[in-house]
Amino acid sequence: KRQVSTQSTGSSSTSLAVPHTKMNTKCRGCGKTVYPTEKMTILGGDWHKGCFKCATCGMSLNLKNYESFQNTPYCRSHMVQAKAGGGIQTNLGKILLFYH
């Protein structure tokens, strides 16, 4: 909390507690708290820089080299697979896309 001092018309001053307005959000990659100094806001959410990876191969991505399909990040190589509808499985074992 921040302390804000205001002065009344009299000789006394009042100290008001103002809640901190910045909200820390959760990383879309790992689910842990993302602090402003380590945050990337992309694809509708916040990410740690190290968590923004291709959903298929785990290659580190950045704002210049990522592709997205259904709000999921991919490297250029795996974007073709994702759009083709192959069952894409991450290196964490979570199935992100699965078409029959």
Side-chain angles (χ1 to χ4, degrees):
K1 293 183 179 180
R2 286 185 295 159
Q3 294 293 323
V4 176
S5 295
T6 59
Q7 288 193 344
S8 65
T9 54
S11 60
S12 64
S13 66
T14 307
S15 180
L16 303 172
V18 177
H20 194 2
T21 56
K22 291 185 181 180
M23 299 274 302
N24 293 320
T25 57
K26 300 293 181 187
C27 175
R28 282 195 48 205
C30 69
K32 295 180 182 177
T33 300
V34 182
Y35 298 99
T37 57
E38 59 189 7
K39 179 169 68 170
M40 289 177 60
T41 301
I42 193 162
L43 297 177
D46 296 325
W47 303 76
H48 292 107
K49 291 176 186 175
C51 292
F52 191 62
K53 298 178 181 182
C54 174
T56 302
C57 68
M59 180 178 113
S60 291
L61 301 172
N62 59 49
L63 295 175
K64 294 180 181 180
N65 72 351
Y66 84 96
E67 302 275 339
S68 69
F69 181 66
Q70 296 184 343
N71 215 24
T72 301
Y74 294 96
C75 64
R76 289 189 175 103
S77 299
H78 290 107
M79 181 62 157
V80 175
Q81 263 185 308
K83 282 188 173 179
I88 307 299
Q89 189 167 356
T90 69
N91 56 350
L92 300 174
K94 297 178 186 174
I95 296 176
L96 296 176
L97 302 173
F98 189 76
Y99 297 97
H100 290 283

